[in-house]
Amino acid sequence: MADSVDRMAGEAIATGQPDAPDRTATGKAHFEVLDGLRGTAALIVVLFHIQGITVKWDGARVVLHHAPLAVDFFFALSGFVIGYAYDDRWGKMRTRGFLVLRLVRLHPLVILGALLGLASYLLDPFAGQAQAVPLRAVLGAFALCLLALPSWSLPNRWTDTHPLNGPIWTLFQEYIGNLAYALVLRRLSATALAVLAVLSGAVLVVSAGMLGSLDQGSYWETFWMAPVRLCFPFVTGLWLYRVRERLPNLRIGWLPLSLVMLAATAFPTLPAVGGVKLNGLYEAACVVLLFPAILVAGRHSEPGRGMLWLCKASGRISYPIYITHFPFLYVWMNFVATGRASQAELVAIGVALVPFLLLVAWAAQAWWDLPIRAWLGTRLRRRG
């Protein structure tokens, strides 16, 4: 049953053998290392949120300072994979069909994330009066969150554009990228994509230099940065797919590339020197130079039999853990704020949250995402 929607959407089909690579519905070889790197990036985000909340976002004690750049890597990987999965299918596929397939692939977990966010906001035992707000305001934000749309801010959620589940802001941008691909980008030549990538990259670098950080776009104050962060990596990922045969055959492997990503996100924050915000320029360099290089290397790399199962598991759990972890961490944030636990106790609980969130993600995939996608896929096939 789970395979039916994967065949509809062109996603990876599990072979049922832990030492055999997955293949797409059309029989294309699957990029297992890139799948594994998606999981690496998602786990970096989760660890960053847990550790940051545990130390109350005290900058000197935060470890993975640049972990928000995982979002930019997601966008680059998405552009590459979208080109790989769909560029050669437009002779038999229309825009409406493409968008339906993307909704089937992405939206079941968006809905689950919204439901978890609503429960987290209304049932949090540690929030006290910090989240006291008319129910109609919460339900209105929930209705928009179900559609991955931004809403008004809610108390105790900073000024997030998606206050019930912050990471959903990236899914809103993902949909924008998918729509842009279907309507415009798929029709552009590799040269035109390269020009667009250079222009959007220049905007990204200038913006990062002005702001001092690329951790922007999820708040209303910097909402304008969300499409800036989307455009360059998404277009570049698509361009890299189009020119893949002209790129060098770098073979580094999942584990070394994961360590490179981890080191890049753990790099210390940099000060401003002579009015130049070096931290922003460093993060822009990661997005403009490092992440495309990782994509190229990951595309040509083989995980090896000993790592294949780990890459597959990492890729499969990446989206579920990314979209389900933050509602639980809102509760964790409010618990930390109560001051009821010592720092040692907070560290112990924070460590325990990692396997707990992995278990939640596994359950979300097995009992929610795959069954719903299978049911939707069957319905779509019956309708022709």
Side-chain angles (χ1 to χ4, degrees):
M1 286 291 292
D3 285 352
S4 63
V5 71
D6 286 336
R7 291 190 177 95
M8 290 291 294
E11 301 297 334
I13 296 179
T15 61
Q17 302 175 18
D19 59 347
D22 289 342
R23 303 188 74 85
T24 67
T26 54
K28 297 177 182 177
H30 201 239
F31 297 116
E32 301 292 354
V33 169
L34 293 183
D35 259 5
L37 289 173
R38 187 170 66 243
T40 299
L43 188 58
I44 286 174
V45 170
V46 173
L47 294 176
F48 168 70
H49 287 154
I50 293 175
Q51 197 267 331
I53 291 171
T54 303
V55 300
K56 299 181 180 179
W57 298 112
D58 179 359
R61 294 192 291 165
V62 172
V63 176
L64 300 172
H65 306 281
H66 308 288
L69 296 181
V71 168
D72 306 83
F73 181 75
F74 291 148
F75 290 151
L77 185 57
S78 178
F80 185 91
V81 172
I82 287 291
Y84 176 70
Y86 294 103
D87 260 8
D88 61 355
R89 299 175 64 186
W90 286 99
K92 301 178 181 179
M93 181 177 61
R94 296 182 179 180
T95 298
R96 180 176 179 274
F98 167 78
L99 296 177
V100 168
L101 295 181
R102 298 309 293 159
L103 283 170
V104 169
R105 176 65 184 93
L106 298 174
H107 216 74
L109 282 173
V110 170
I111 293 173
L112 178 60
L115 289 169
L116 290 173
L118 177 66
S120 172
Y121 199 83
L122 295 179
L123 304 178
D124 187 342
F126 308 111
Q129 294 300 307
Q131 293 170 192
V133 65
L135 181 60
R136 64 179 180 275
V138 180
L139 293 180
F142 171 66
L144 291 171
C145 192
L146 285 172
L147 302 174
L149 295 174
S151 73
W152 47 86
S153 301
L154 293 175
N156 205 33
R157 290 295 187 269
W158 307 285
T159 57
D160 279 5
T161 60
H162 294 74
L164 293 180
N165 193 342
I168 290 181
W169 79 269
T170 63
L171 271 298
F172 177 57
Q173 296 303 315
E174 176 74 17
Y175 281 143
I176 292 175
N178 282 211
L179 186 61
Y181 167 77
L183 297 179
V184 179
L185 298 179
R186 69 179 177 88
R187 306 175 190 275
L188 299 183
S189 66
T191 301
L193 287 174
V195 171
L196 182 57
V198 169
L199 294 176
S200 59
V203 174
L204 182 78
V205 171
V206 171
S207 300
M210 291 171 51
L211 297 172
S213 171
L214 280 177
D215 186 12
Q216 316 287 342
S218 62
Y219 299 92
W220 278 113
E221 293 89 339
T222 59
F223 182 59
W224 61 273
M225 271 295 292
V228 172
R229 291 182 68 183
L230 166 71
C231 189
F232 171 79
F234 189 86
V235 170
T236 299
L238 181 59
W239 175 76
L240 286 173
Y241 170 71
R242 297 275 179 85
V243 299
R244 62 196 179 280
E245 301 303 331
R246 290 178 262 167
L247 299 175
N249 292 331
L250 302 176
R251 297 180 183 273
I252 300 178
W254 171 73
L255 185 58
L257 289 174
S258 293
L259 292 175
V260 169
M261 290 185 64
L262 185 63
T265 57
F267 193 79
T269 55
L270 298 174
V273 177
V276 179
K277 297 181 178 178
L278 297 180
N279 193 70
L281 295 181
Y282 167 77
E283 294 191 343
C286 287
V287 177
V288 172
L289 300 176
L290 178 62
F291 291 168
I294 290 176
L295 270 183
V296 172
R299 181 248 173 182
H300 288 289
S301 300
E302 297 292 336
R305 294 179 65 87
M307 287 289 180
L308 179 57
W309 70 272
L310 189 56
C311 285
K312 291 166 67 172
S314 178
R316 291 172 188 170
I317 209 71
S318 60
Y319 181 35
I321 197 171
Y322 179 75
I323 210 68
T324 62
H325 78 283
F326 218 54
F328 296 96
L329 296 190
Y330 287 133
V331 179
W332 173 237
M333 172 188 72
N334 287 326
F335 173 75
V336 172
T338 65
R340 298 181 184 180
S342 67
Q343 189 61 40
E345 291 171 329
L346 291 178
V347 171
I349 298 172
V351 171
L353 279 172
V354 177
F356 169 75
L357 293 173
L358 286 169
L359 182 61
V360 169
W362 173 83
Q365 182 197 39
W367 297 337
W368 178 278
D369 188 38
L370 291 180
I372 291 177
R373 287 164 54 194
W375 180 81
L376 289 172
T378 300
R379 298 277 294 182
L380 288 173
R381 291 171 64 187
R382 287 176 179 172
R383 294 180 62 179

